């Protein structure tokens, strides 16, 4: 709950991330400095009562809190650069009048000048720390000259070194943040591309699942027929063992259905090997006519059992092709097997090879 309130108090809604960071940091500093000032005002009477520093603080403290409140709303509503510039300027002026010239030049209040130098590097731009350091140096020189106090050259050198360090540190942080944003943008783009690729892949997988389901259904349907026929004819063969004519016909059907089942299983196994990449293709110079003749001879006996006649007409001067002979033979077996299965009895099947357009 308190964390949410703190985020709402310090948040500034601007599109530029660097400006949003600086303006949010200014809000944090304004709230923090105002809170510290208020606490010191409450306990100032009891801690440092009667000292010149305490008296000046009690005068400028409420004024400083009021200015911070105005800068807070200016930063949230209008401009962070303007609010930060006013804040650093007023802070420098308050430091100049916060103590005696002697203490500000070489005494207890000297270190106060380092505060606006550091704030300028993180609230405005990194190089502004050097500008504020020069302003603090000029203020010290004027205080020394007007009050006849020796110039504190060591302090001036220290301010310039602090400004250089603040500039380098703030510049390094901003460079790192810029690089980080670039990396994040690149990662976002990569994630978007990968998400799109995954979505496409997911759709493709869904399509493959549908194809696989259809394939399994088709295979199941194709396997059911020969398996059912095998069971039925085995039962009839068992009942009609004494009838030689029927026994021979049943055995022929059983042989055909077994061959059909064997062909289906081989087709599924070959497809599975191709899918998982375990089927190694061996490409050689293949003569189409020789393979076609082998397949015709292999199916001739079954075709005659069906009352079919296979006529083979090999072409002349058929050029060799570069292929896997086993796979080509499987293709021919499937084609001729279907021809034997689905040609009417006493029909004729013609197989011929020929070359066309080279």
């Amino acid at each position: 709950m308190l964390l949410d309130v703190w985020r709402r108090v310090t948040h500034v809604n601007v599109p530029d991330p660097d400006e949003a960071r600086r303006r949010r940091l200014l809000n944090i500093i304004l709230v923090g400095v105002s809170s510290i000032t208020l606490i010191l005002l409450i306990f100032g009477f009891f801690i440092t009562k009667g000292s010149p520093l305490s008296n000046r603080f009690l005068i400028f403290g409420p004024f400083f809190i009021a200015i911070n409140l105005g800068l807070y709303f200016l930063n949230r509503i209008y401009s962070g650069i303007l609010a930060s510039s006013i804040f650093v300027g007023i802070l420098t002026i308050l430091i100049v009048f916060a103590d005696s010239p002697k203490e500000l030049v070489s005494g207890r209040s000297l270190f106060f000048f380092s505060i606006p130098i550091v704030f300028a590097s993180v609230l405005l731009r990194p190089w502004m720390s050097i500008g504020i350091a020069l302003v603090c140096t000029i203020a010290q020189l004027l205080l020394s000259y007007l009050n006849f106090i020796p110039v504190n050259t060591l302090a001036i050198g220290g301010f310039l070194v602090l400004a250089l360090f603040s500039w380098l540190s703030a510049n390094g942080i901003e460079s790192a943040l810029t690089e980080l944003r670039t990396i994040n943008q690149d990662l976002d783009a990569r994630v978007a591309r990968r998400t799109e690729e995954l979505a496409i892949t997911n759709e493709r997988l869904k399509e493959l699942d549908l194809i696989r389901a259809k394939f399994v259904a088709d295979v199941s349907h194709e396997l059911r027929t020969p398996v059912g026929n095998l069971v039925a004819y085995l039962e009839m063969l068992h009942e009609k063992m004494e009838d030689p004519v029927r026994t021979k016909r049943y055995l022929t059907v059983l042989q055909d259905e077994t061959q059909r089942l064997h062909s289906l299983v081989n087709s599924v196994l070959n497809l599975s090997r191709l899918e998982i990449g375990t089927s190694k293709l061996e490409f050689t110079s293949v003569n189409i006519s020789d393979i076609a003749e082998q397949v015709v001879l292999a199916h001739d006996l079954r075709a005659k059992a069906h009352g079919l006649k296979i006529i083979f007409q090999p072409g002349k001067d058929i050029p060799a092709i570069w292929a896997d002979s086993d796979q080509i033979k499987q293709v021919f077996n499937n084609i001729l097997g279907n021809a034997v299965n689905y040609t009417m009895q006493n029909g004729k099947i013609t197989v011929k090879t020929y070359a066309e357009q080279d």
Side-chain angles (χ1 to χ4, degrees), residues 25-97:
L25 184 59
L26 177 60
N27 282 341
I28 294 173
I29 292 174
L30 290 172
V31 173
V33 171
S34 299
S35 301
I36 294 172
T37 304
L38 182 61
I39 293 173
L40 292 178
L41 282 173
I42 295 174
F43 294 99
F45 291 103
F46 306 101
I47 298 174
T48 57
K49 188 175 182 181
S51 68
L53 181 61
S54 177
N55 292 334
R56 286 189 177 88
F57 184 77
L58 292 176
I59 293 173
F60 290 114
F63 177 67
F64 185 58
I65 293 176
I67 291 176
N68 286 346
L69 184 61
L71 292 176
Y72 172 81
F73 288 106
L74 177 65
N75 181 49
R76 287 185 64 91
I77 298 172
Y78 184 64
S79 171
I81 292 291
L82 180 60
S84 297
S85 301
I86 295 173
F87 173 73
V88 174
I90 291 176
L91 186 62
T92 305
I93 294 173
L94 289 177
I95 290 173
V96 171
F97 293 99

Side-chain angles (χ1 to χ4, degrees), residues 266-282:
N266 282 338
S267 298
V268 173
L269 289 177
N270 288 333
L271 181 60
S272 299
R273 293 192 190 101
L274 288 173
E275 277 190 339
I276 64 177
T278 58
S279 178
K280 296 182 179 179
L281 300 179
E282 295 182 2

Side-chain angles (χ1 to χ4, degrees), residues 87-316:
F87 173 73
V88 174
I90 291 176
L91 186 62
T92 305
I93 294 173
L94 289 177
I95 290 173
V96 171
F97 293 99
D99 207 347
S100 64
K102 182 178 180 181
E103 297 296 343
L104 288 169
V105 172
S106 56
R108 64 192 174 191
S109 304
L110 179 63
F111 76 96
F112 284 151
F113 284 105
S114 62
I115 298 175
I117 296 174
V118 176
F119 280 1
S121 65
V122 295
L123 295 179
L124 296 169
R125 295 293 184 271
W127 58 267
M128 284 298 296
S129 60
I130 298 177
I132 298 300
L134 293 176
V135 171
C136 294
T137 299
I138 294 171
Q140 279 212 353
L141 292 174
L142 288 174
L143 288 172
S144 299
Y145 175 76
L146 294 174
N147 294 277
F148 305 101
I149 302 171
V151 176
N152 192 342
T153 55
L154 182 63
I156 293 174
F159 289 145
L160 294 176
V161 171
L162 177 62
L164 179 62
F165 177 77
S166 298
W167 170 61
L168 292 174
S169 300
N171 189 64
I173 292 173
E174 292 202 353
S175 298
L177 290 174
T178 301
E179 184 178 355
L180 183 61
R181 279 195 296 271
T182 303
I183 294 173
N184 286 337
Q185 290 174 357
D186 183 55
L187 287 176
D188 289 341
R190 290 185 182 182
V191 169
R193 288 197 300 269
R194 295 296 182 270
T195 302
E196 184 178 357
E197 291 173 1
L198 287 174
I200 295 173
T201 303
N202 187 48
E203 291 299 321
R204 179 57 180 161
L205 287 174
K206 290 180 180 178
E207 294 176 3
L208 290 175
D209 283 339
L210 293 176
I211 294 173
R212 189 180 299 275
K214 185 178 183 303
F215 171 74
V216 171
D218 291 344
V219 170
S220 300
H221 174 73
E222 292 294 333
L223 291 175
R224 188 179 297 113
T225 301
V227 171
N229 289 340
L230 286 173
V231 173
Y233 277 94
L234 282 172
E235 290 178 352
M236 289 188 291
L237 180 63
H238 180 70
E239 295 175 356
K240 305 293 183 179
M241 288 292 291
E242 67 281 359
D243 189 342
V245 177
R246 289 188 176 183
T247 299
K248 183 178 180 180
R249 187 167 71 246
Y250 293 163
L251 287 173
T252 301
V253 173
L254 287 173
Q255 184 179 7
D256 291 342
E257 294 300 327
T258 303
Q259 181 64 31
R260 181 181 175 189
L261 184 61
H262 181 263
S263 177
L264 285 172
V265 172
N266 282 338
S267 298
V268 173
L269 289 177
N270 288 333
L271 181 60
S272 299
R273 293 192 190 101
L274 288 173
E275 277 190 339
I276 64 177
T278 58
S279 178
K280 296 182 179 179
L281 300 179
E282 295 182 2
F283 288 88
T284 58
S285 181
V286 176
N287 188 303
I288 291 294
S289 295
D290 291 345
I291 293 181
E293 185 177 7
Q294 294 174 17
V295 173
V296 168
L297 291 175
H299 286 270
D300 187 60
L301 184 61
R302 192 164 69 93
K304 290 179 178 179
H306 282 272
L308 304 174
K309 183 179 181 181
I310 301 180
I311 300 173
F312 178 53
Q313 300 175 355
K316 295 182 179 181

